Amino acid sequence: AEIEEEKRDIILYPNPTSGAFNVGFVRESDDVDVMVYSTNGQLIMSERVGAVMPGMDCEFNLDGVANGAYIVKVSGENMNETFRLLVVK
């Protein structure tokens, strides 16, 4: 039997980024929040997106942050995913 590749509900790009990044949604959900944390758990950014539809993209900006790795958490009514985002300026 063929192993089916895990399908993500969310696409995060570009990664690495120089500051701006997009979150693309593959399925619909309500009450979506996007949060960015430093690797030591400090909240850098929190934004309520609300309802999303498949094909919808939201742009976020991390211009004021230092180079390094960040944790991006996207959670909603029927989605919950975590990404590692690299910022390189």
Side-chain angles (χ1 to χ4, degrees):
E2 208 175 292
I3 296 172
E4 199 175 311
E5 188 182 325
E6 184 190 348
K7 295 239 190 313
R8 284 197 173 268
D9 297 328
I10 300 153
I11 304 156
L12 185 137
Y13 66 96
N15 191 6
T17 178
S18 59
F21 67 96
N22 291 282
V23 176
F25 296 94
V26 178
R27 69 184 331 195
E28 62 182 90
S29 182
D30 289 325
D31 301 326
V32 174
D33 291 297
V34 176
M35 286 160 291
V36 180
Y37 296 89
S38 65
T39 50
N40 64 9
Q42 181 186 353
L43 181 64
I44 306 290
M45 184 198 86
S46 176
E47 198 159 318
R48 164 59 55 108
V49 177
V52 298
M53 300 297 289
M56 184 174 156
D57 274 22
C58 297
E59 187 176 349
F60 301 93
N61 209 316
L62 291 177
D63 273 352
V65 304
N67 285 355
Y70 294 87
I71 308 301
V72 180
K73 291 188 178 180
V74 183
S75 60
E77 193 175 273
N78 57 359
M79 62 176 61
N80 191 1
E81 293 200 38
T82 303
F83 299 85
R84 191 167 178 270
L85 179 68
L86 207 55
V87 175
V88 181
K89 296 178 186 176

